[in-house]
Amino acid sequence: MRGLLHSIEIAVGATCLGLLIGTGGAYGKLYGGPVVRDLLAVYTTIVRAVPELVLILLLYYAGTDLINQLLTAIGYQRIDISGLAAGIAVLGFVQGAYSTEVIRGAILAIPQGQIEAARAYGMSPGLLLRRIILPAMLPFAIPGLANLWLIATKDTALLAVVGFNELTLETRQAAGVTKAYLIFYVAAGVLYLLLSLFSNLVIGRIEAWSRRGMPSLKEAR
């Protein structure tokens, strides 16, 4: 249960960070200048092309070492970065690339007349994003973002390779000590399944709320 709590903490933190990166990335890809669009294209392409385990190892070890080298270069002492913070940062960076494309596609699905009307009324980019784009794109983005959340809950298991005590590593340690491999690994699988079922229930409520006022599929037929 301690491992499950750690896994949920990392998944929630990484998803929130990924949403922030994804929203900014999608907005930059659609409305940014050529340099911004090119940099974001490189970011999303590399992250989606390289296996996540390789990225986790690279960012976890090389990233923390780079931070400490920079601190040493400017006269500060090296710091110990907590596994929780590093795990959230690494998975959030990976989630951000996928969220960028999901949110970008959702924004493109918005009827462009709404955005043009908001600009005609003189809305600033920030107000346009908050009042028009985010509420309108939410129904289109939720299915993709829901999949990313479920992926994040399972990707926390990859942090076991860097020694963070999430659910998979705790299970492996308990099974190794007791030799009750079947019991512990089945229990871990059940916990992951329960987490996914509960997540689907919550996501379904959020999707129904975001689609309020929109015609249902039955009405469209």
Side-chain angles (χ1 to χ4, degrees):
M1 296 304 294
R2 181 176 63 243
L4 176 63
L5 178 61
H6 288 163
S7 293
I8 293 174
E9 288 176 345
I10 293 176
V12 171
T15 300
C16 292
L17 178 59
L19 284 174
L20 290 175
I21 296 174
T23 302
Y27 208 70
K29 268 196 163 187
L30 291 172
Y31 306 111
V35 176
V36 173
R37 291 199 299 268
D38 290 343
L39 290 175
L40 289 171
V42 171
Y43 161 61
T44 56
T45 300
I46 290 177
V47 171
R48 291 186 297 162
V50 179
E52 293 176 0
L53 180 58
V54 176
L55 284 172
I56 287 173
L57 291 171
L58 178 65
L59 294 172
Y60 189 89
Y61 290 113
T64 53
D65 183 60
L66 178 61
I67 291 173
N68 280 317
Q69 287 185 11
L70 290 174
L71 290 174
T72 303
I74 60 178
Y76 290 94
Q77 294 184 347
R78 297 174 65 90
I79 60 172
D80 292 326
I81 300 175
S82 71
L84 179 63
I88 290 174
V90 169
L91 286 185
F93 182 81
V94 174
Q95 284 275 310
Y98 294 95
S99 297
T100 295
E101 294 303 318
V102 170
I103 295 173
R104 185 180 69 87
I107 292 175
L108 290 175
I110 301 172
Q112 292 303 302
Q114 297 181 17
I115 298 176
E116 292 174 3
R119 286 176 173 167
Y121 274 102
M123 280 191 178
S124 64
L127 185 61
L128 174 64
L129 177 67
R130 189 174 70 253
R131 297 291 294 273
I132 303 297
I133 294 178
L134 289 181
M137 69 89 178
L138 194 58
F140 303 106
I142 284 179
L145 295 178
N147 285 334
L148 291 181
W149 158 252
L150 294 176
I151 291 171
T153 61
K154 293 189 286 290
D155 279 353
T156 57
L158 298 176
L159 295 175
V161 299
V162 295
F164 184 73
N165 288 334
E166 44 67 61
L167 178 55
T168 300
L169 183 59
E170 293 275 12
T171 301
R172 188 170 66 191
Q173 291 173 342
V177 171
T178 62
K179 306 303 179 184
Y181 294 99
L182 179 62
I183 293 175
F184 279 101
Y185 280 112
V186 168
V190 170
L191 289 176
Y192 278 119
L193 177 60
L194 291 175
L195 178 58
S196 296
L197 292 175
F198 178 75
S199 298
N200 286 333
L201 180 63
V202 174
I203 291 167
R205 296 289 183 87
I206 296 174
E207 186 172 10
W209 171 81
S210 70
R211 294 185 62 86
R212 65 195 187 284
M214 299 176 65
S216 63
L217 291 177
K218 293 181 179 180
E219 293 174 354
R221 292 175 183 174

